[in-house]
Amino acid sequence: MAEEEQKALIEILEEGNPIDLAKYINYVGSPQSGAIATFSGTTRDTFDGKTVVELRYEAYVPMAIRCIKSICSSARSPWNINSIAVAHRLGPVPVGETSVFIAISAVHRADALDACKFVIDEIKASVPIWKKEVYDNGEVWKENSEFLMRRLEMHDHGMFSCRRQGEVEMAHNRNGCCRNKVKVNGGAGPEGCIGEGSEEKP
């Protein structure tokens, strides 16, 4: 576990701190790595015909970090990866700027690419980070489609507890480390992720 933690850099950046992409790419690079896969989530200028001014992010930071660490640890089970770096901004993110960045290194490109997709999908589905879209004529809190799909899957299969680390066995496995992207009263469940409780959306 200690070795895995040394190979993962997880940062939630406070408002006003842009993501330094080169920093995270350099972190995961190594002579043993034949591939580095990255994902950069950026603010686009339109949504459903509305002009987007910026996105604003809030997070329950301690739990968000724990959940991302658990996701990164789970990614090591099905894929042979070397290092992982994840950064997510908080506060306003103007059009064209990066809000979330992932870099993963591996010996082979297939492992790096598949693990990168898994990590961003799990972050969107289960980590307590909330997004508000700000338009030129209003604003609205948005739930990611991955989160809505996860909630339906949890309901359909009666899955109401956090998945424990290491249970990811296939690339198409949809179960996440956390059950709902909500703050709860009473603390965290297994693996430091969200358990049963009352919803406290920002």
Side-chain angles (χ1 to χ4, degrees), residues 9-101:
L9 175 62
I10 313 300
E11 294 186 334
I12 305 293
L13 304 177
E14 295 298 329
E15 181 174 340
N17 292 293
I19 296 177
D20 182 355
L21 277 58
K23 168 186 174 180
Y24 302 100
I25 293 173
N26 291 335
Y27 175 85
V28 301
S30 71
Q32 297 78 31
S33 300
I36 296 177
T38 65
F39 172 82
S40 179
T42 59
T43 303
R44 63 181 184 270
D45 60 1
T46 58
F47 179 80
D48 282 349
K50 292 176 285 190
T51 299
V52 176
V53 177
E54 64 184 14
L55 300 179
R56 294 178 188 166
Y57 290 92
E58 295 184 8
Y60 183 10
V61 174
M63 189 171 289
I65 291 174
R66 287 196 297 269
C67 282
I68 294 173
K69 284 182 176 179
S70 181
I71 290 167
C72 292
S73 180
S74 294
R76 296 183 180 278
S77 179
W79 298 290
N80 183 18
I81 55 182
N82 294 333
S83 301
I84 307 174
V86 179
H88 204 300
R89 288 176 65 175
L90 299 182
V93 181
V95 170
E97 295 190 14
T98 299
S99 58
V100 57
F101 185 73

Side-chain angles (χ1 to χ4, degrees), residues 101-113:
F101 185 73
I102 298 167
I104 298 179
S105 62
V107 174
H108 302 293
R109 67 180 182 274
D111 286 322
L113 289 167

Side-chain angles (χ1 to χ4, degrees), residues 127-181:
V127 175
I129 297 174
W130 297 274
K131 177 178 70 176
K132 177 186 286 186
E133 289 189 348
V134 181
Y135 311 115
D136 59 356
N137 61 351
E139 57 187 36
V140 63
W141 288 101
K142 298 295 292 291
E143 289 182 328
N144 295 307
S145 59
E146 294 89 348
F147 168 58
L148 297 175
M149 290 175 61
R150 179 63 50 78
R151 176 173 282 181
L152 287 173
E153 289 176 359
M154 292 292 191
H155 180 269
D156 291 344
H157 294 92
M159 299 165 63
F160 299 109
S161 62
C162 296
R163 182 190 50 165
R164 291 191 178 274
Q165 178 179 322
E167 291 183 3
V168 179
E169 297 178 353
M170 300 295 289
H172 63 268
N173 191 312
R174 298 293 298 174
N175 300 336
C177 80
C178 310
R179 63 174 289 266
N180 282 338
K181 284 181 63 171

